[in-house]
Amino acid sequence: MEHIPTQRVSAKQLQEIRDRYQTRKRKSKVILIVTGVLFFVVSGLVGGFLTYLYHTLPPLSMLEENRPSMITSILSDNGSVIGEFFVERRIILGQSQIPKLIKDAIIATEDNLFYKHPGIDFAGILRAFIKNILAGRIVQGGSTITQQLTKILFLTPEQTVLRKLKEAMLAFQIEHHYTKDEILALYLNQIYFGEGAYGIEAAALTYFNKKAEELDLSEVALLCGIPKAPSHYSPFKNSEKSMTRRNLVLRRMLEVGIIKPGE
């Protein structure tokens, strides 16, 4: 059997090994302490900033006290409308007055996970971020219906990080205090459909001279496609783009199972 020679380690070499080990151990300890301190400092700063931001948010009582502008109608002796005055042409509908087809269509178009998320769709935000990066421009938004409602009622449309943070915090609060159906009704009564029409009832009358409950599938799809860009998708201004957008809404409704291919 072949003899394998062994190498002896002197006391000096052994001490050098121990010294190097102790040095690495001290460095690791210092790095760990510094990292921990930085973590707590950054956490404190972020927490302090978010707390400050929270206290600058408009109170939710504004939502309960909100009295949206509506139409004032002048009636003749026989009850027919002979004139209207309004700043925003809007007719408020109760939750039960808004047809289920309209609710389903707007959810499929604007926020497919509306009934599942807590006001913020984190997966949707990430998906929109990736698509926008790949496209080199803004091609998709990640805002939920609740976030859009907060922007309409409380905030400005500016695209800043600060405004988006406020939007997210308000969305969480709204989701905590109101049911999904209440939020959806508020949204459908508030959003702008172009041509001076605010809310789904005013939009139905403006574009089709019908009440919302009288709209057919094609008309519902057309209206639910308008809020993304009212001046761009108005059938009065651009019928071709309006029809393209309507068809996209119909495809989304088909994909999520709201309608069947035959419809």
Side-chain angles (χ1 to χ4, degrees):
M1 182 175 179
E2 184 181 355
H3 175 71
I4 301 175
T6 58
Q7 183 179 2
R8 291 187 177 183
V9 179
S10 66
K12 182 179 179 181
Q13 290 175 321
L14 185 60
Q15 186 59 43
E16 289 176 351
I17 292 172
R18 288 173 178 169
D19 290 343
R20 285 198 297 270
Y21 171 75
Q22 291 297 327
T23 300
R24 285 197 297 268
K25 188 176 179 180
R26 284 194 296 270
K27 287 182 178 179
S28 298
K29 188 175 181 179
V30 170
I31 291 172
L32 186 62
I33 292 172
V34 171
T35 302
V37 171
L38 286 176
F39 173 78
F40 283 110
V41 169
V42 172
S43 297
L45 289 173
V46 171
F49 174 72
L50 292 178
T51 301
Y52 162 77
L53 201 62
Y54 176 82
H55 288 293
T56 65
L57 296 176
L60 281 191
S61 58
M62 289 178 59
L63 186 58
E64 298 172 359
E65 297 165 1
N66 179 53
R67 297 291 183 269
S69 175
M70 296 173 63
I71 298 172
T72 298
S73 300
I74 301 175
L75 306 180
S76 65
D77 292 338
N78 62 8
S80 61
V81 178
I82 59 175
E84 292 180 337
F85 295 96
F86 53 85
V87 176
E88 295 180 355
R89 190 164 191 261
R90 177 186 284 107
I91 302 168
I92 300 295
L93 295 180
Q95 291 181 52
S96 61
Q97 294 176 299
I98 302 174
K100 184 177 184 301
L101 181 62
I102 291 176
K103 295 177 182 179
D104 289 343
I106 203 72
I107 288 173
T109 307
E110 296 292 333
D111 185 3
N112 186 38
L113 298 177
F114 175 68
Y115 282 103
K116 297 180 180 179
H117 62 63
I120 306 294
D121 180 9
F122 295 103
I125 292 173
L126 179 61
R127 184 168 57 251
F129 177 76
I130 293 173
K131 286 189 176 181
N132 293 336
I133 290 294
L134 294 176
R137 58 189 177 87
I138 303 296
V139 295
Q140 182 177 329
S143 294
T144 64
I145 282 176
T146 313
Q147 286 177 276
Q148 292 180 47
L149 180 62
T150 65
K151 183 169 63 176
I152 294 169
L153 294 176
F154 300 116
L155 304 172
T156 62
E158 59 180 343
Q159 293 291 334
T160 64
V161 174
L162 188 61
R163 203 271 293 164
K164 294 297 288 185
L165 283 172
K166 288 184 176 182
E167 181 184 284
M169 295 173 80
L170 279 169
F172 277 124
Q173 288 188 58
I174 289 175
E175 291 269 349
H176 181 70
H177 287 87
Y178 297 91
T179 67
K180 289 287 188 178
D181 290 335
E182 287 173 334
I183 293 169
L184 189 58
L186 282 167
Y187 178 77
L188 284 167
N189 279 315
Q190 288 288 340
I191 52 175
Y192 183 53
F193 286 87
E195 305 300 330
Y198 291 81
I200 190 64
E201 183 77 347
L205 291 168
T206 297
Y207 290 104
F208 299 109
N209 197 29
K210 294 181 179 181
K211 293 183 178 180
E213 62 184 14
E214 300 171 335
L215 298 174
D216 62 27
L217 174 59
S218 178
E219 293 164 343
V220 166
L222 187 145
L223 289 186
C224 289
I226 291 176
K228 181 178 176 65
S231 61
H232 189 70
Y233 293 119
S234 167
F236 292 165
K237 295 177 180 177
N238 196 323
S239 60
E240 185 177 343
K241 289 183 178 179
S242 177
M243 291 300 102
T244 299
R245 178 69 178 164
R246 181 207 64 177
N247 294 341
L248 176 62
V249 174
L250 288 171
R251 279 200 302 275
R252 287 292 303 136
M253 295 174 73
L254 179 64
E255 288 171 1
V256 298
I258 294 171
I259 59 175
K260 298 178 181 179
E263 296 180 88

